[in-house]
Amino acid sequence: MTKKNILRCILFMMIIASSCQKDSFQEEKNSISKTEKENWLSANLDSKFANSQKQVTAYLFANDEMSKLVKTPNITEVRFVLGYKNNIIQVSIVGVDKYGKELGKVNSTILKEPNYTSKLSKLNEVSNGKTNKGTVLLNAHVLLPKDAFAGIEAWQEKLSSVSNLDEVTSYEGLRFRYFSLESDVIAAMADKSKTVNIAMFFGLNPKGKVTTILIGLDGNNAIKGSSQTSKEETDVYDATRPCPPYGDPENS
């Protein structure tokens, strides 16, 4: 084989390899340190933060790890604890008992996928507008897919405008430290066979405050139940409680 043909083969292989790469990036899992939690409380939510945070699509929690966490004896609540590093909010989940004692933790990987809007917009096409999830607890936290999409889009728009970011991430001047909900909600999400990751998206609730929106994803990080052939309902939950005002700010 001539040198010219060898170069052609190398170029062809590089093109193939490039076309096969996924248009997404997942950061390695990192445990949030005490310093990162403290940094979040005083972080300057300026344009530098907004530009960095806009690159974050979601925070992924492996379904098998979440399932194991909520099956831990005495865990009654899970908390999405916030930290701050490299101008980006960091998130990890801790499971606590009824006294607030930490019994387990799951760290997130940050999904960065620039073209995710097309996947996310499928929430507007999901036909199941059902709010009956079988229990009073799940019904209290279930969120209509279209409302989830609107909330996530509103947060992205807030980052684009870089306006009132301190206000929407705080309660009476005190920045949110974590969001919590009953572990049974996570257990219901983790119990779905096709769920590979439970994704946490930031969104704005009807009061204009930042909140956590939970959606079950498949192995391609696509929203489950968003296709017409899917037989499994889309799992979308919110109504998480921010601390403050709920919970103990010092116990986070």
Side-chain angles (χ1 to χ4, degrees), residues 29 59-71 93 106-109 185-199 215-219 221 224 232 235:
K29 293 181 181 179
Y59 299 82
L60 305 181
F61 297 90
N63 191 59
D64 55 348
E65 294 183 30
M66 294 290 277
S67 179
K68 182 178 179 180
L69 177 70
V70 295
K71 290 178 181 177
I93 287 182
V106 176
N107 297 318
S108 67
T109 56
V185 177
I186 298 297
M189 296 187 72
D191 194 37
K192 298 297 180 66
S193 61
K194 295 182 180 179
T195 300
V196 175
N197 286 309
I198 293 177
I215 304 177
L217 304 182
D218 64 18
N221 288 325
K224 299 189 310 84
E232 198 169 82
D235 276 330

Side-chain angles (χ1 to χ4, degrees), residues 196-215:
V196 175
N197 286 309
I198 293 177
M200 191 218 83
F201 296 82
F202 281 119
L204 295 185
N205 63 23
K207 295 182 179 180
K209 294 290 187 177
V210 73
T211 188
T212 55
I213 296 173
L214 310 178
I215 304 177

Side-chain angles (χ1 to χ4, degrees), residues 8-210:
R8 286 177 177 174
C9 288
I10 293 174
L11 180 60
F12 177 75
M13 294 301 294
M14 289 176 64
I15 293 173
I16 294 297
S18 176
S19 64
C20 291
Q21 289 181 349
K22 291 184 177 180
D23 188 20
S24 64
F25 172 75
Q26 291 184 29
E27 293 186 358
E28 293 183 1
K29 293 181 181 179
N30 289 308
S31 180
I32 297 177
S33 67
K34 181 180 179 181
T35 299
E36 289 169 355
K37 293 178 186 178
E38 294 173 348
N39 288 344
W40 164 242
L41 300 180
S42 59
N44 184 15
L45 306 187
D46 54 10
S47 59
K48 192 173 183 179
F49 157 75
N51 289 333
S52 297
Q53 190 65 41
K54 279 184 67 177
Q55 309 308 312
V56 175
T57 302
Y59 299 82
L60 305 181
F61 297 90
N63 191 59
D64 55 348
E65 294 183 30
M66 294 290 277
S67 179
K68 182 178 179 180
L69 177 70
V70 295
K71 290 178 181 177
T72 302
N74 300 322
I75 284 183
T76 60
E77 178 180 284
V78 295
R79 294 175 177 174
F80 296 81
V81 181
L82 309 183
Y84 194 72
K85 179 181 178 183
N86 298 329
N87 297 305
I88 291 176
I89 300 173
Q90 309 293 313
V91 183
S92 66
I93 287 182
V94 297
V96 300
D97 64 14
K98 61 181 180 180
Y99 303 108
K101 180 181 179 181
E102 183 178 324
L103 300 177
K105 178 184 292 185
V106 176
N107 297 318
S108 67
T109 56
I110 296 177
L111 174 66
K112 296 181 179 181
E113 189 170 334
N115 299 318
Y116 199 81
T117 303
S118 59
K119 291 183 179 180
L120 199 59
S121 63
K122 296 292 184 181
L123 289 169
N124 285 326
E125 302 172 13
V126 175
S127 59
N128 62 332
K130 299 178 181 178
T131 57
N132 185 4
K133 290 292 183 178
T135 70
V136 173
L137 174 62
L138 294 181
N139 291 339
H141 288 282
V142 71
L143 187 65
L144 291 177
K146 64 181 181 65
D147 292 337
F149 179 77
I152 296 169
E153 285 286 279
W155 169 244
Q156 287 296 319
E157 291 172 4
K158 182 67 67 173
L159 291 173
S160 296
S161 63
V162 198
S163 62
N164 301 322
L165 290 174
D166 283 310
E167 181 180 343
V168 302
T169 57
S170 304
Y171 173 77
E172 295 186 350
L174 299 176
R175 190 160 288 168
F176 298 140
R177 294 182 179 227
Y178 62 81
F179 296 84
S180 61
L181 80 166
E182 295 82 357
S183 59
D184 285 348
V185 177
I186 298 297
M189 296 187 72
D191 194 37
K192 298 297 180 66
S193 61
K194 295 182 180 179
T195 300
V196 175
N197 286 309
I198 293 177
M200 191 218 83
F201 296 82
F202 281 119
L204 295 185
N205 63 23
K207 295 182 179 180
K209 294 290 187 177
V210 73

